[in-house]
Amino acid sequence: MKLSLFNMVAGIGAALIASSGAAVAEYPEKEVTITVGFGPGGGVDTITRAAADALSTALGQSLVVENQPGAGGGLALTALMSKPADGYNLAAAITTTVSFDPHTSDLAYNIDNFDYIGAFGVFPEAIVALPAKGWKDFSDVIAAAKESDSGLTYASTTSLDRVVMAAIAEQEGVMLKPVPTKGGAEAVAQTLGGHVDFAYSSGTYYAQAKAGELAVMAGLGTNPIPGFEDVPTLTSLGYDMSSVNMVIYAAPAGLPDDVKAKLVEAFEAAAKSDKVLEVLAGRNMGSYILTGDAFDEQIRAQSAQFKAAMK
């Protein structure tokens, strides 16, 4: 009887230990969802879906990609804030969704509400104009604006480009007047049609520029634009303004260290996959990758820059 009772107690103890071990099983135990803050078929969506298989392999779990477009990625990030910080829900947006937009709009989130996992590629943002203008780079654009009593017009696609151009206009004492458009395609069309003097574009201009139909005046990034390495950046022209806009992946703030480390490792692996590299190359976004602490540091530095520019 005593032996039987001992065996019973031992069995219960073993069961408790087993159930305790199951409760602390290593992440991830179930599928991971990435909510893309833009519509199907766009750059952020295409890159995320290209990375899905590699991410799934790296994590050892299935990966679900869904779309929640709106507010330049802001709706998906707002929804993400209500999700638990357990690594099973991420959102895909672009850098400026968190580094710029909170400084210009009354949003429910700010840069501190998220943990930053990784970023893929760099949008080849640039200022473009018709070759017939005869301008070699953006310094010629400013010279033309100074010679004109009414200033110059440009096709605008985002609040970001309006802040950048307003800061430059103030610095140079010229008028640079935005003509709002519904996106990159319309901005390019307005420029090709001669309806504006120049345009800001996040990358839609690229095919026309390679064909010689548009001239690239300046890049907005900190590095030269691939394929247009001789074109100066705004920074190299003396403007304390840049935009390194990437496809970014974030989680609710407060991820456990081991969970964040596994996600960072998975995104580093996915960024090097042939499928992701092919999609980035097709969109002229290079093979740039930034993850973990380095990513967090850069996005916060960019946020500080935009905050200063707003003042």
Side-chain angles (χ1 to χ4, degrees):
M1 184 70 175
K2 290 182 179 179
L3 183 59
S4 176
L5 180 60
F6 175 80
N7 289 341
M8 184 182 298
V9 172
I12 293 173
L16 288 173
I17 292 172
S19 63
S20 174
V24 293
E26 290 190 5
Y27 167 88
E29 299 179 82
K30 58 183 180 179
E31 68 184 21
V32 175
T33 298
I34 299 180
T35 302
V36 177
F38 298 84
V44 179
D45 179 71
T46 302
I47 291 167
T48 302
R49 292 181 188 277
D53 287 344
L55 286 171
S56 178
T57 299
L59 291 171
Q61 285 287 350
S62 59
L63 191 113
V64 176
V65 179
E66 58 186 27
N67 299 85
Q68 188 177 10
L75 288 185
L77 286 177
T78 299
L80 185 66
M81 290 171 56
S82 65
K83 308 281 178 65
D86 56 9
Y88 292 103
N89 287 281
L90 309 176
I94 57 177
T95 311
T96 51
T97 309
V98 289
S99 67
F100 177 78
D101 293 350
H103 299 309
T104 62
S105 304
D106 185 17
L107 300 176
Y109 66 85
N110 61 54
I111 198 168
D112 295 320
N113 292 127
F114 309 104
D115 279 349
Y116 299 97
I117 309 303
F120 295 166
V122 178
F123 290 98
E125 296 177 285
I127 298 166
V128 297
L130 285 175
K133 293 285 188 182
W135 299 330
K136 293 182 179 179
D137 60 40
F138 191 67
S139 61
D140 291 335
V141 178
I142 294 301
K146 289 182 176 180
E147 294 174 359
S148 173
D149 293 334
S150 58
L152 301 180
T153 60
Y154 71 94
S156 168
T157 62
T158 68
S159 55
L160 168 62
D161 68 66
R162 290 189 280 277
V163 169
V164 170
M165 287 299 114
I168 291 175
E170 181 176 358
Q171 179 177 333
E172 296 288 0
V174 298
M175 287 188 288
L176 301 174
K177 297 175 287 188
V179 177
T181 65
K182 295 179 180 179
E186 184 180 345
V188 167
Q190 289 286 319
T191 310
L192 290 171
H195 305 297
V196 292
D197 293 304
F198 64 95
Y200 158 84
S201 174
S202 64
T204 314
Y205 70 89
Y206 206 91
Q208 289 84 356
K210 293 298 286 185
E213 298 171 4
L214 288 173
V216 183
M217 300 289 97
L220 272 70
T222 53
N223 295 317
I225 299 170
F228 297 93
E229 286 80 7
D230 293 337
V231 174
T233 63
L234 288 180
T235 303
S236 70
L237 289 171
Y239 303 107
D240 187 19
M241 189 68 61
S242 63
S243 173
V244 181
N245 212 2
M246 303 170 283
V247 176
I248 70 168
Y249 299 91
L255 283 179
D257 290 342
D258 61 327
V259 172
K260 184 174 181 179
K262 285 191 175 183
L263 283 169
V264 168
E265 184 179 1
F267 273 85
E268 287 175 347
K272 298 171 185 175
S273 70
D274 291 340
K275 196 169 183 180
V276 170
L277 291 173
E278 181 181 349
V279 171
L280 290 174
R283 291 180 173 270
N284 310 298
M285 293 179 66
S287 57
Y288 188 78
I289 176 177
L290 200 61
T291 58
D293 292 342
F295 175 28
D296 186 275
E297 182 179 339
Q298 176 162 314
I299 201 169
R300 289 182 183 279
Q302 186 165 305
S303 176
Q305 172 195 280
F306 288 138
K307 183 178 181 179
M310 293 302 296
K311 291 180 179 180

